[in-house]
């Protein structure tokens, strides 16, 4: 049994208490509640009673948190798989080449180069994420999740890509800094491409 526009509007108004912050999650929750109410009405339960019972069973904050966690985990996998795409690898190589030119031009030692590369990568990512938030995309959970995920992956990489560890494994400091720089460049491009993709999707909907 399909709900009327007025019945759906009543579901939407019942979620106006501020527990759901993101517009896309709100729309998904309305669809979920509507589907559950329709099933209850098919079983002979009146609309008003069905809505009350379904609303008691669903915690909007928990529903939102589950979707956000799933989105973040999904984007970790997506960004990681993006790192294997040819176009991303090519752009990552170009960014890496720029870094190598800078490192060699200023004759940075591997230790100093590591600090500069990591500092600039994390500050640039933070700046881009903040600019993207200010662009009015904070109300969409997908754009929020992909921005958060890129930021978290860049932060974690600061510890995972460690020059001392690479040297301890037997590689030279020079090879180590090139390895760190290339992987950071690749991660940055892979994440940024997904941020752009998700932003375009929001802009066109």
């Amino acid at each position: 049994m399909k709900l009327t526009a007025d019945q759906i509007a009543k579901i939407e108004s019942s979620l106006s208490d501020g527990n759901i912050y993101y517009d896309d999650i709100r729309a998904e929750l309305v669809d979920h509640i509507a589907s559950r109410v329709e099933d209850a009405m098919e079983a002979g339960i009146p609309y008003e009673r069905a809505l009350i019972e379904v609303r008691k069973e669903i915690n909007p904050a928990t529903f939102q948190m589950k979707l956000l966690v799933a989105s973040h985990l999904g984007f970790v996998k997506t960004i990681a798989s993006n790192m294997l795409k040819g176009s991303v690898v090519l752009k990552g190589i170009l960014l890496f080449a720029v870094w190598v030119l800078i490192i060699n031009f200023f004759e940075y030692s591997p230790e100093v180069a590591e600090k500069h590369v990591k500092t600039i990568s994390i500050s640039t990512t933070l700046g881009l994420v903040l600019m993207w938030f200010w662009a009015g995309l904070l109300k969409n959970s997908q754009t929020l999740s992909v921005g958060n995920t890129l930021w978290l992956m860049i932060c974690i990489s600061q510890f995972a890509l460690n020059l001392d560890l690479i040297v301890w494994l037997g590689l030279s400091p020079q090879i180590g800094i090139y390895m760190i720089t290339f992987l950071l460049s690749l991660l940055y491009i892979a994440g940024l491409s997904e941020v752009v993709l998700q932003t375009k999707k929001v802009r066109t909907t």
Side-chain angles (χ1 to χ4, degrees):
M1 182 179 294
K2 291 294 183 181
L3 300 183
T4 65
D6 288 341
Q7 289 172 328
I8 293 176
K10 190 167 185 177
I11 294 175
E12 292 173 343
S13 66
S14 73
L15 298 173
S16 60
D17 52 9
N19 287 329
I20 301 294
Y21 184 77
Y22 305 100
D23 294 337
D24 56 322
I25 292 181
R26 183 185 301 276
E28 189 163 344
L29 180 55
V30 169
D31 288 343
H32 181 67
I33 292 174
S35 178
R36 294 277 300 274
V37 170
E38 287 171 355
D39 291 341
M41 292 174 67
E42 290 285 352
I45 301 174
Y47 169 78
E48 295 290 344
R49 180 182 158 198
L51 178 57
I52 291 172
E53 291 181 357
V54 171
R55 286 289 283 114
K56 285 181 179 178
E57 295 172 1
I58 297 175
N59 184 317
T62 301
F63 184 89
Q64 178 173 254
M65 182 57 65
K66 286 181 178 179
L67 289 184
L68 286 173
V69 170
S71 292
H72 281 76
L73 293 176
F75 282 124
V76 169
K77 295 177 182 178
T78 300
I79 291 174
S81 65
N82 281 351
M83 294 174 71
L84 301 177
K85 292 181 178 179
S87 60
V88 171
V89 172
L90 179 59
K91 293 174 184 176
I93 291 173
L94 292 174
L95 181 57
F96 167 69
V98 171
W99 270 116
V100 170
L101 289 173
I102 293 173
I103 290 171
N104 289 332
F105 179 80
F106 289 101
E107 298 182 346
Y108 290 138
S109 67
E111 293 76 16
V112 172
E114 180 188 21
K115 291 179 181 178
H116 285 326
V117 169
K118 288 184 174 181
T119 299
I120 292 177
S121 66
I122 199 168
S123 59
T124 303
T125 303
L126 177 60
L128 287 171
V129 170
L130 290 176
M131 287 172 58
W132 158 74
F133 282 165
W134 291 333
L137 299 170
L138 190 60
K139 293 288 286 182
N140 181 276
S141 70
Q142 295 301 295
T143 54
L144 172 86
S145 296
V146 71
N148 277 346
T149 302
L150 174 58
W151 167 246
L152 290 171
M153 291 178 77
I154 290 289
C155 287
I156 292 171
S157 71
Q158 310 299 301
F159 303 98
L161 300 175
N162 185 280
L163 184 60
D164 290 336
L165 176 60
I166 293 174
V167 172
W168 180 79
L169 292 173
L171 297 176
S172 70
Q174 199 67 38
I175 292 177
I177 187 56
Y178 287 156
M179 181 183 297
I180 290 171
T181 304
F182 175 70
L183 291 175
L184 277 175
S185 299
L186 197 57
L187 173 59
Y188 182 80
I189 296 297
L192 185 60
S193 65
E194 193 62 30
V195 169
V196 171
L197 177 61
Q198 295 302 320
T199 301
K200 286 181 177 178
K201 287 182 179 179
V202 173
R203 296 290 193 190
T204 55
T205 55

